[in-house]
Amino acid sequence: MADEEIKTVKQLIAEKDAIEQEIKEFQDVLASQKNVGMEENLIDAEGYPRDDIDVYTVRIARNRIICLQNDHKAKMKEIEEGLHKVHAKAKENKRENGTEQASTESRDVNLTPFLRVESVTPHSPAAKAGLEVGDNILKFGSLSAQNFQGLQNIASVVQHSKGIPLHVTIQREDKRKNISLTPNTWPGKGLLGCHIVPIK
């Protein structure tokens, strides 16, 4: 829905630009007629139409500019309303996402450890992320104690997340910590550089 509204605003902006371009073209017409503006007299001192300019062309151009300026004003109002809608929609989505995040966080409170870090190789992706030996893992990407079935689950998540940061929640002593772990190739073995085992 928001995409549709953004598309509408973009279309309105394109129409506004086209109106501005047309106004400029008619202003150029006035400029070509001795730089006559919107207000200058079109009759001479004796009350006759000026003979140094094409009075008919000037009148047409002036009339079109007035009409186009009105169109431009209306279009700007439409754009403003459209932008208000887009911002309102974005705010609404943010609120909904905030609620979603809050419910995710409340689910996270019930997490239980299902993996333990046995070893971490220096300079590996795991070491750079801040994993330490003895850390208990409560969440590994989309995996938790609820859906974890075996180490092949971890292998699959790691393979699919190469170069993409994984959200990992660990328990170290009595503290919980969220870390960002990015599986990647490095001089050592595997994509993580750590050894993790399931907690029985």
Side-chain angles (χ1 to χ4, degrees):
M1 183 66 184
D3 288 348
E4 199 57 47
E5 277 153 0
I6 289 166
K7 206 169 156 189
T8 304
V9 170
K10 280 184 175 171
Q11 178 61 35
L12 289 169
I13 289 169
E15 288 166 12
K16 170 194 76 86
D17 290 346
I19 292 170
E20 285 172 358
Q21 181 56 34
E22 210 177 332
I23 289 172
K24 187 185 177 305
E25 283 164 15
F26 281 110
Q27 283 171 339
D28 289 345
V29 169
L30 294 182
S32 72
Q33 297 293 319
K34 302 271 185 189
N35 243 345
V36 66
M38 293 292 287
E39 307 293 336
E40 238 173 279
N41 256 335
L42 300 185
I43 51 173
D44 60 21
E46 292 165 19
Y48 292 103
R50 283 170 58 174
D51 58 8
D52 59 334
I53 56 172
D54 184 338
V55 172
Y56 177 74
T57 299
V58 170
R59 282 204 172 117
I60 295 277
R62 281 181 175 178
N63 190 44
R64 280 301 294 142
I65 288 171
I66 289 164
C67 293
L68 287 164
Q69 281 172 338
N70 289 334
D71 291 348
H72 187 266
K73 204 182 286 181
K75 199 63 69 181
M76 288 300 284
K77 196 167 188 299
E78 279 185 76
I79 290 169
E80 198 180 327
E81 284 166 4
L83 286 171
H84 275 311
K85 279 183 193 170
V86 170
H87 291 314
K89 197 80 191 160
K91 258 186 191 170
E92 198 180 305
N93 289 346
K94 207 171 174 186
R95 264 205 308 277
E96 282 169 13
N97 291 343
T99 312
E100 199 179 298
Q101 195 179 344
S103 65
T104 306
E105 281 168 7
S106 65
R107 281 203 303 273
D108 285 357
V109 171
N110 305 318
L111 291 174
T112 51
F114 66 105
L115 296 166
R116 190 174 64 254
V117 179
E118 291 278 276
S119 68
V120 178
T121 310
H123 313 299
S124 65
K128 284 178 184 169
L131 269 186
E132 292 178 10
V133 173
D135 284 346
N136 286 331
I137 295 174
L138 306 167
K139 201 157 191 230
F140 190 91
S142 57
L143 296 173
S144 66
Q146 277 71 38
N147 60 7
F148 176 70
Q149 289 162 334
L151 287 174
Q152 70 275 11
N153 295 151
I154 299 290
S156 174
V157 168
V158 169
Q159 284 298 330
H160 287 105
S161 304
K162 187 179 174 184
I164 302 163
L166 273 173
H167 174 80
V168 179
T169 305
I170 60 166
Q171 189 168 30
R172 187 175 294 161
E173 292 165 357
D174 291 333
K175 288 179 184 162
R176 278 191 181 192
K177 197 175 176 185
N178 290 321
I179 64 169
S180 181
L181 172 60
T182 306
N184 232 326
T185 47
W186 62 293
K189 278 185 184 174
L191 295 174
L192 296 179
C194 67
H195 181 50
I196 47 183
V197 295
I199 292 175
K200 299 286 189 288

